[in-house]
Amino acid sequence: IHGLCQIPVYLVIFHLFLTMFIWSYWKTIFSKPASPSKAFGLPRVEKEAYEREERAEVQQEILKKVARNLPIYTRTAGGAVRYCNPCQVIKPDRCHHCSTCEMCVLKMDHHCPWVNNCVGFSNYKYFVLFLAYAALYCAVICATVIQYFIKFWTKELPETHAKFHILFLFFVAALFFISVLSLLSYHLWLVGKNRTTIEAFRAPVFTNGPDKNGFSLGFSRNVAEVFGDQAKHWIFPVYSSLGDGHSFLARLVHIDPEQANSVLQQNGKRLVGFFSPQILNLFLSSFVCWVLIFYV
């Protein structure tokens, strides 16, 4: 009787996470990557002059003239205005050209072959939720199967062909859970730091130099930039990200140069990650609780 009472609970939780997993996965796949607006293209006169000019330094002067009227604070490693020749646009901050999609993607994080799409400004929230619900979905499978896994392993149940299926299901779900949870932890850390995967490997370059924390505005504002300022929308794969993807607040842009240099020198000396040991222990404790609830 106790087992029969658990079945409806299992079914509700299983299908709830399955629905949210498929919903967020669908949104991640079919959300078209956002590209720069026409405002970042060169005006006709400047475009013609840029295409006629062969000297790189003169081309840069043309780009700098146009960029003065745009909300752009980052440059190339050499200090030049970032310009995409294939798309013929001045790249907004955090925008990169994807060679697979053959387009510039706003706040590009990476091109993900698992979703066959670029992960960027338009679908980054969906991607993080996809990872979260995938991990929860695998956790539910492990929690509901582990009691039968233990019984078969201790030979409390007779030998049947179902043993192989249960073993396979548990190990595959556990493997995917560990893998997805690791990736989810990394991206939640990026959200807390307001970085993209590209920026984590190569710090954006500002007037004062490279700054890996250049777009970090504090933990709460960093999270709100991706998930929105209303917590009721956070768990659903609906659009709630802040901003337009073309311009971003930068913490050092309006600071005194000497103060900015002082902050830049401190970069890398302090590492206060979102996933501290306490938070990781909380995740592990929660998973153990899930297992105990389903097992008992």
Side-chain angles (χ1 to χ4, degrees), residues 6-25:
Q6 287 182 325
I7 292 177
V9 178
Y10 290 169
L11 290 175
V12 170
I13 296 176
F14 175 85
H15 286 92
L16 176 63
F17 287 136
L18 176 61
T19 301
M20 298 301 290
F21 165 64
I22 295 176
W23 185 8
S24 55
Y25 185 55

Side-chain angles (χ1 to χ4, degrees), residues 49-250:
Y50 180 87
E51 293 176 346
R52 287 196 307 266
E53 186 58 54
E54 296 181 356
R55 292 170 295 178
E57 59 274 12
V58 178
Q59 289 181 329
Q60 267 300 304
E61 290 302 321
I62 296 173
L63 295 178
K64 288 180 179 179
K65 177 183 177 182
V66 178
R68 291 194 191 103
N69 301 320
L70 297 174
I72 296 176
Y73 302 111
T74 57
R75 296 290 186 266
T76 64
V81 175
R82 302 190 315 128
Y83 183 75
C84 179
N85 286 304
C87 298
Q88 296 184 336
V89 294
I90 294 177
K91 294 180 182 179
D93 291 341
R94 317 184 82 175
C95 175
H96 297 274
H97 184 85
C98 177
S99 58
T100 304
C101 296
E102 297 182 348
M103 63 181 294
C104 281
V105 179
L106 295 180
K107 196 185 177 184
M108 180 178 174
D109 188 88
H110 69 287
H111 184 89
C112 182
W114 299 104
V115 299
N116 193 31
N117 198 4
C118 251
V119 177
F121 177 78
S122 63
N123 62 351
Y124 187 62
K125 176 191 174 183
Y126 308 146
F127 177 74
V128 175
L129 289 179
F130 154 64
L131 295 177
Y133 287 119
L136 289 172
Y137 179 60
C138 292
V140 169
I141 294 176
C142 290
T144 53
V145 171
I146 192 171
Q147 57 180 316
Y148 302 103
F149 171 80
I150 295 175
K151 288 181 180 180
F152 274 122
W153 195 262
T154 57
K155 298 182 179 180
E156 293 183 21
L157 293 179
E159 290 285 341
T160 64
H161 293 293
K163 180 177 181 178
F164 170 77
H165 299 293
I166 291 177
L167 293 176
F168 179 79
L169 179 61
F170 178 80
F171 281 120
V172 170
L175 179 63
F176 271 95
F177 172 76
I178 295 173
S179 302
V180 174
L181 183 62
S182 301
L183 186 58
L184 172 64
S185 301
Y186 175 68
H187 278 281
L188 288 177
W189 179 80
L190 290 178
V191 170
K193 293 292 186 180
N194 202 346
R195 298 179 198 167
T196 64
T197 299
I198 295 176
E199 292 166 354
F201 286 95
R202 185 174 66 250
V205 180
F206 294 85
T207 305
N208 303 93
D211 182 13
K212 62 182 179 181
N213 295 318
F215 294 107
S216 181
L217 304 173
F219 176 76
S220 59
R221 293 187 66 181
N222 293 344
V223 172
E225 190 170 290
V226 175
F227 290 95
D229 51 8
Q230 297 186 28
K232 64 181 180 180
H233 296 148
W234 289 2
I235 64 173
F236 298 104
V238 295
Y239 185 80
S240 60
S241 301
L242 302 181
D244 58 4
H246 290 86
S247 61
F248 300 89
L249 293 176

